[in-house]
Amino acid sequence: MVRGMRIDPNSKFNRVELHCHSKAGEIGTMKPGEIAEYLSGEDATAFAITDDSSIWGFPMLECLMEFGILTAAPIFGLEVRVKRDGNEKNCEEFDIVSILIRNYSGMVNVCHLLEAPGGKDGKPVLDAEELFGKHGGLLFGTGGSKGRVYRMALEGASDEELTAELGHYDYAEVLPFEEYREINKRIIRLSDEIGVTVVAVCEAAFCDEAGRNARRVRSYHDYGTDVVADNHFWTDEEMLSAFNYLPEKKARKIVIDNTHRLKNLCGSFQVTIAKKSYPQTAYASSRLRDMCMFYMRKKYPDRPSEVLSVLEWELDALARTHMETYMIQVKEILDGLGLGSAETSIRGTAAGSIVAYLLGISNVDPIRFNLAPEMVFSLEQDREIDIDLNVPTGLQEEAFVCAGRVESVSNAVRASMAKLISEEEAGEMLEQYMADCDIFFTDAMQYDIIECLKDSYICMEKHPGGVYLIPTYFGTESKAPTILTKGLDLKHYDYGDVRAFLKQDIFGQDGTEMLIKLSLLTDVALEKVPIDDEKVLKLFAA
């Protein structure tokens, strides 16, 4: 028995499934958290997420780990694509390699690997030499049914050829399906001869009939066939039965013992940067106060005491949340663009900030409209102010550049967002499948299938306006997942999953651009147009 391995006679999952697909890839029918919840309910101790070229699901699992409510611990991993021999220039023909990440160094290496050029779907396709050269902190597996070892065996490779290929990997994966029985025997025998660990995997992608049907629907939609393998979460009993052609002790070793051996090689580490790394400038507090006092005397010459109490409250809230530098930076962005509050707008409650109004970031006068600062900062003064800028569409790219040039910021890095299958798209996929294949599901089953299909990952896209403000003191070379040295995208995680950096939304707004053009054509200054005038309001309502 492997040291530290716990065997529960009442559990169906003493084995560790080291090859799972979730909705964070394109194959799974469960979110990473749903897999963790399901396996925790079955008293499993661990599982490995191995989605295709995707680490999008990592932050979700890390968040669940922080709460400490799940017993099935995630092992972070993924599949990567490797060019086939003789097709070094063709990114559309590839084999799969499984990767388990052992530590933070491995996480950094994975992020570098994901920067490689991709095929038509944008996913990276690696050179084998490049991949196996980044071994630090990683365990390489043979990739299961889509790996090079299985392909070579099916194509009749010799023992010598298979042995040479197996020598590249830390572990060999064998599947429980009958059609692979003879291949599995060869892989197990040859791996034993050269000391490569063998583990049984099922490439799990669903846990019930609705998930199985969803896989068929997705496969039909993507590839024109609804023939899918039985990739449910196989229990210990099912796996041991599938490998009953091996001696009992040997079957148990590859089904249970070796999976724990690999699990024990993978430690815990931070997959996202938890500590906030916000830009900070020297004397920001006094600078912001001086700026506000200067503009207060201009905008409120007759009632400074009334305004001062609100201003002091907000400045205290900004100090508590360390956002004084941020307010100065937003003004710097607008000044760099030559825009004032009349040419831009900001979304949300931040528009009601007295500091934003005084600095010319917002054109909403909170004193005039009796807007309480608690709306922006909460009663406890602990909510960070969030300013979403709307600028003319033609100036959006310039605004991104300006954001990267403000004081104490080294770069403004474009954020990404995951494109997912919507509920409507899932319904259309199901309807098309039923119509084409002359298959009918009950209403209840259709609902469950759609639930399994929706929110499934398609690809990562640029966020329409989100950037991260990277402080000058932050070293980007070695920080996963912020591999920023090759471009201006942080594309591996969704915008909301990166908590370390200050986020700035800068959206293009054609309406604002049109108003500026009208102002230039008519010589009417926008700042002189009263926003509460009845005629103006009727004009916009029309």
Side-chain angles (χ1 to χ4, degrees):
M1 182 179 292
V2 178
R3 182 169 57 86
M5 186 173 73
R6 174 180 61 86
I7 296 295
D8 182 354
N10 297 316
S11 174
K12 296 187 295 184
F13 290 99
N14 284 297
R15 58 181 292 270
V16 178
E17 178 53 54
L18 295 173
H19 199 134
C20 296
H21 293 285
S22 76
K23 285 186 176 183
E26 297 179 13
I27 297 176
T29 60
M30 306 164 71
K31 294 178 180 178
E34 291 172 338
I35 293 175
E37 184 178 9
Y38 167 72
L39 291 176
S40 293
E42 297 290 349
D43 296 321
T45 59
F47 65 98
I49 286 287
T50 53
D51 288 312
D52 181 9
S53 307
S54 171
I55 60 173
W56 175 59
F58 287 12
M60 184 189 304
L61 291 172
E62 183 174 63
C63 184
L64 290 171
M65 289 172 65
E66 290 175 0
F67 283 104
I69 57 176
L70 300 174
T71 58
I75 300 167
F76 297 106
L78 70 161
E79 293 179 345
V80 293
R81 302 175 178 186
V82 178
K83 296 175 186 176
R84 292 186 179 178
D85 293 332
N87 291 283
E88 294 303 307
K89 295 183 179 181
N90 186 353
C91 287
E92 304 310 317
E93 292 188 8
F94 51 82
D95 296 306
I96 293 294
V97 173
S98 302
I99 294 179
L100 301 180
I101 306 173
R102 299 185 62 181
N103 51 38
Y104 190 79
S105 295
M107 186 71 203
V108 173
N109 274 333
V110 161
C111 290
H112 280 292
L113 290 171
L114 292 175
E115 295 291 329
K120 291 180 180 178
D121 61 3
K123 293 187 176 181
V125 183
L126 306 168
D127 292 313
E129 185 176 347
E130 177 188 4
L131 172 64
F132 295 124
K134 290 188 178 293
H135 214 134
L138 303 175
L139 296 174
F140 294 127
T142 53
S145 60
K146 295 182 180 179
R148 187 172 293 181
V149 170
Y150 263 44
R151 178 175 62 82
M152 290 173 62
L154 288 168
E155 292 175 355
S158 67
D159 282 359
E160 291 74 17
E161 290 170 323
L162 281 179
T163 298
E165 182 62 30
L166 283 165
H168 294 301
Y169 303 92
D170 299 291
Y171 63 100
E173 300 168 84
V174 291
L175 284 99
F177 309 125
E178 180 62 27
E179 62 264 34
Y180 297 134
R181 175 184 289 221
E182 296 306 314
I183 291 176
N184 288 345
K185 289 180 181 179
R186 287 186 72 195
I187 292 173
I188 294 168
R189 173 174 56 83
L190 296 174
S191 297
D192 286 347
E193 289 176 2
I194 61 174
V196 173
T197 300
V198 181
V199 294
V201 300
C202 62
E203 300 180 338
F206 54 84
C207 68
D208 56 21
E209 193 61 25
R212 187 192 309 272
N213 288 328
R215 280 286 297 116
R216 292 164 61 192
V217 172
R218 181 73 185 268
S219 178
Y220 180 78
H221 177 268
D222 292 347
Y223 308 111
T225 176
D226 67 345
V227 177
V228 296
D230 187 12
N231 299 122
H232 71 280
F233 283 86
W234 286 54
T235 65
D236 297 348
E237 183 180 353
E238 290 173 318
M239 273 291 199
L240 290 170
S241 176
F243 287 95
N244 62 6
Y245 50 86
L246 300 174
E248 182 178 350
K249 186 176 180 180
K250 185 65 175 179
R252 182 178 181 82
K253 184 176 182 179
I254 69 170
V255 169
I256 299 177
D257 294 359
N258 284 352
T259 65
H260 283 267
R261 196 180 307 279
L262 292 181
K263 182 203 76 169
N264 291 343
L265 293 175
C266 299
S268 61
F269 54 90
Q270 198 79 36
V271 299
T272 60
I273 302 167
K275 184 179 179 181
K276 288 183 178 179
S277 300
Y278 285 8
Q280 297 294 331
T281 58
Y283 310 110
S285 180
S286 58
R287 289 173 60 193
L288 182 62
R289 175 179 291 277
D290 290 346
M291 292 167 68
C292 288
M293 295 301 291
F294 174 79
Y295 290 113
M296 186 182 76
R297 287 190 288 270
K298 283 192 167 187
K299 294 189 175 184
Y300 298 102
D302 301 326
R303 43 180 179 168
S305 58
E306 179 185 352
V307 178
L308 191 59
S309 62
V310 178
L311 177 60
E312 292 289 354
W313 195 97
E314 279 202 19
L315 289 174
D316 184 47
L318 289 167
R320 286 171 181 258
T321 53
H322 309 287
M323 299 297 279
E324 296 148 308
T325 294
Y326 175 57
M327 296 300 295
I328 297 172
Q329 289 169 335
V330 174
K331 177 170 175 55
E332 287 183 26
I333 293 171
L334 294 179
D335 288 348
L337 294 170
L339 299 176
S341 60
E343 294 88 10
T344 62
S345 63
I346 65 177
R347 303 183 185 186
T349 57
S353 161
I354 185 68
V355 174
Y357 177 66
L358 290 173
L359 297 184
I361 298 169
S362 169
N363 61 1
V364 177
D365 183 348
I367 304 300
R368 178 181 180 185
F369 295 105
N370 195 29
L371 301 178
E374 292 86 352
M375 293 174 58
V376 183
F377 299 97
S378 85
L379 289 169
E380 291 77 21
Q381 297 178 291
D382 60 357
R383 182 190 300 146
E384 295 178 354
I385 191 168
D386 180 21
I387 299 176
D388 297 344
L389 290 175
N390 295 320
V391 302
T393 302
L395 293 178
Q396 188 185 27
E397 290 298 325
E398 186 179 344
F400 294 145
V401 174
C402 286
R405 291 177 177 171
V406 297
E407 187 178 357
S408 76
V409 171
S410 65
N411 209 348
V413 180
R414 285 296 298 273
S416 295
M417 60 185 296
K419 181 180 179 181
L420 308 177
I421 294 177
S422 68
E423 184 171 356
E424 181 180 0
E425 289 170 329
E428 290 173 354
M429 289 167 61
L430 176 57
E431 287 182 10
Q432 188 67 51
Y433 173 71
M434 291 193 297
D436 290 354
C437 300
D438 195 22
I439 294 174
F440 175 77
F441 297 112
T442 65
D443 289 346
M445 178 57 74
Q446 288 185 45
Y447 174 84
D448 290 341
I449 292 172
I450 290 173
E451 287 295 304
C452 289
L453 288 170
K454 75 175 188 180
D455 297 330
S456 292
Y457 176 91
I458 300 175
C459 64
M460 295 300 288
E461 299 180 322
K462 281 187 178 181
H463 192 278
V467 294
Y468 304 103
L469 302 183
I470 310 299
T472 52
Y473 62 81
F474 185 85
T476 60
E477 291 285 351
S478 62
K479 300 288 187 179
T482 53
I483 307 304
L484 312 177
T485 55
K486 294 186 179 180
L488 297 181
D489 293 334
L490 201 166
K491 61 186 179 183
H492 306 313
Y493 288 159
D494 197 74
Y495 192 29
D497 291 332
V498 179
R499 296 169 287 175
F501 302 128
L502 187 60
K503 301 169 186 174
Q504 177 62 65
D505 286 316
I506 305 174
F507 295 103
Q509 182 170 284
D510 291 325
T512 304
E513 193 170 39
M514 291 305 299
L515 286 173
I516 294 174
K517 289 179 179 179
L518 286 171
S519 174
L520 294 173
L521 288 171
T522 61
D523 292 325
V524 175
L526 289 175
E527 59 269 19
K528 294 183 178 179
V529 178
I531 62 174
D532 59 346
D533 181 82
E534 185 176 347
K535 290 183 179 179
V536 173
L537 291 174
K538 284 183 178 179
L539 180 65
F540 278 96

